[in-house]
């Protein structure tokens, strides 16, 4: 539905999620599931998913990477096997360690960090600010002065986004640019064509080999040989 590269990226990230779940015995994103449960207990509480849609993030992230960066990232995700302990998770809650990990990510994939972290910092800040706007109370008539009450908002975000949200909070934010999906590059089009051609070529060759062996097996059967011999003996 979202394209070959986006689909492959999503499969690889699901593999990473499964690896973390296997190592820790709990799935990532538990804070968001807990927030959903708590919101259901509060009367008149509206629960809103305020992150940027995944297809937009994936497509922008993939478009930002060069061909070799895509290969390097895919290779690293495919062969992810580093052990993760609960102590490692607790260490990640320390801001200095988190910033160090982010700095390493920026150094290796700066464009990936921009699309997956920095742009989403802007989007999350924008959505939180929209939710935090004052609520206008209903008026009995047009002549009655407008009255407002503050909105009560609880935002649940990953720790890696907190510094970016604090940084962007007082800025005039525009999200139109970070919501656009750039057209695929020439290299992406070539890669997609080669990938499709390879897949269909292998499928075609596999069907040919299976059909050829099946025909050879059928023809080697005594009943088939006897039938073919009778056909050759029929007068023209």
């Amino acid at each position: 539905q979202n394209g070959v590269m986006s689909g492959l990226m999503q499969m690889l990230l699901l593999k990473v999620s499964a690896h973390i779940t296997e190592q820790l015995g709990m799935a990532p994103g538990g804070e968001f599931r807990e927030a959903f449960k708590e919101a259901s207990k509060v009367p008149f509480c509206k629960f809103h998913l305020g992150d940027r849609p995944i297809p937009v993030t994936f497509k922008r992230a993939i478009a930002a990477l060069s061909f070799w960066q895509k290969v390097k990232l895919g290779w690293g995700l495919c062969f992810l096997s580093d052990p993760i302990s609960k102590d490692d998770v607790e260490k990640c809650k320390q801001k200095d360690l988190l910033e160090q990990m982010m700095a390493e990510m920026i150094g290796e994939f700066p464009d990936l960090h921009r699309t997956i972290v920095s742009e989403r910092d802007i989007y999350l800040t924008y959505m939180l600010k929209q939710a935090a706007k004052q609520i206008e109370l209903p008026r009995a008539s047009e002549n009655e002065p407008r009255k407002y009450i503050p909105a009560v908002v609880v935002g649940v975000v990953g720790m890696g986004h907190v510094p970016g949200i604090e940084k962007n909070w007082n800025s005039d934010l525009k999200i139109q640019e970070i919501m656009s999906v750039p057209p695929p590059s020439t290299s992406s089009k070539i890669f997609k064509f080669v990938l499709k051609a390879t897949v269909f070529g292998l499928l075609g060759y596999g069907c040919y080999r299976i059909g050829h062996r099946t025909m050879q097996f059928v023809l080697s059967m005594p009943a088939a040989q006897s039938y073919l011999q009778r056909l050759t003996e029929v007068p023209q």
Side-chain angles (χ1 to χ4, degrees):
Q1 290 179 349
N2 299 319
V4 175
M5 293 303 298
S6 294
L8 290 174
M9 179 70 73
Q10 191 160 354
M11 288 172 62
L12 289 173
L13 291 178
L14 286 173
K15 180 180 181 296
V16 174
S17 177
H19 172 70
I20 295 173
T21 304
E22 182 182 2
Q23 293 285 319
L24 299 178
M26 57 183 180
E31 65 271 34
F32 305 117
R33 288 187 286 273
E34 193 65 26
F36 179 77
K37 291 178 184 177
E38 292 300 318
S40 64
K41 301 175 185 177
V42 180
F44 309 108
C45 177
K46 294 181 180 179
F47 185 84
H48 181 67
L49 299 175
D51 204 348
R52 185 170 64 177
I54 290 177
V56 176
T57 299
F58 277 170
K59 288 180 180 179
R60 287 186 62 85
I62 291 168
L65 296 176
S66 67
F67 174 78
W68 293 113
Q69 283 179 321
K70 293 174 186 175
V71 172
K72 184 178 180 181
L73 178 65
W75 182 268
L77 293 176
C78 279
F79 295 95
L80 180 72
S81 59
D82 295 337
I84 304 170
S85 67
K86 293 186 178 180
D87 291 336
D88 294 330
V89 177
E90 292 301 319
K91 289 178 182 177
C92 286
K93 293 179 182 179
Q94 301 172 18
K95 193 172 181 181
D96 55 346
L97 179 62
L98 191 65
E99 290 177 350
Q100 179 184 346
M101 292 173 61
M102 298 297 281
E104 292 175 359
M105 183 181 175
I106 293 171
E108 193 167 3
F109 297 105
D111 293 325
L112 193 65
H113 178 272
R114 173 176 55 80
T115 53
I116 291 182
V117 180
S118 299
E119 288 184 359
R120 286 174 58 225
D121 288 345
I122 295 172
Y123 189 91
L124 289 166
T125 307
Y126 178 85
M127 298 303 289
L128 281 169
K129 290 181 73 173
Q130 292 297 310
K133 286 184 176 180
Q134 289 186 329
I135 302 170
E136 183 179 354
L137 294 175
R139 294 183 294 168
S141 65
E142 291 293 332
N143 297 326
E144 186 179 345
R146 298 177 184 273
K147 294 181 180 179
Y148 299 89
I149 59 172
V152 179
V153 180
V154 178
V156 181
V157 298
M159 282 190 65
H161 292 290
V162 173
I165 292 173
E166 292 176 346
K167 176 184 175 183
N168 292 308
W169 189 258
N170 294 319
S171 304
D172 184 19
L173 303 174
K174 306 291 184 183
I175 63 170
Q176 288 81 5
E177 182 181 348
I178 62 173
M179 288 299 292
S180 63
V181 178
S185 62
T186 304
S187 60
S188 297
K189 292 179 180 178
I190 294 173
F191 176 76
K192 187 184 294 185
F193 175 78
V194 171
L195 182 63
K196 287 183 177 179
T198 303
V199 170
F200 284 117
L202 290 173
L203 284 174
Y205 179 72
C207 292
Y208 165 76
R209 292 291 297 175
I210 292 173
H212 183 68
R213 290 185 177 182
T214 303
M215 185 60 67
Q216 284 183 330
F217 174 74
V218 170
L219 293 176
S220 66
M221 296 175 66
Q225 291 181 355
S226 175
Y227 179 73
L228 289 173
Q229 186 176 2
R230 286 201 300 271
L231 284 178
T232 56
E233 292 174 355
V234 173
Q236 296 295 331

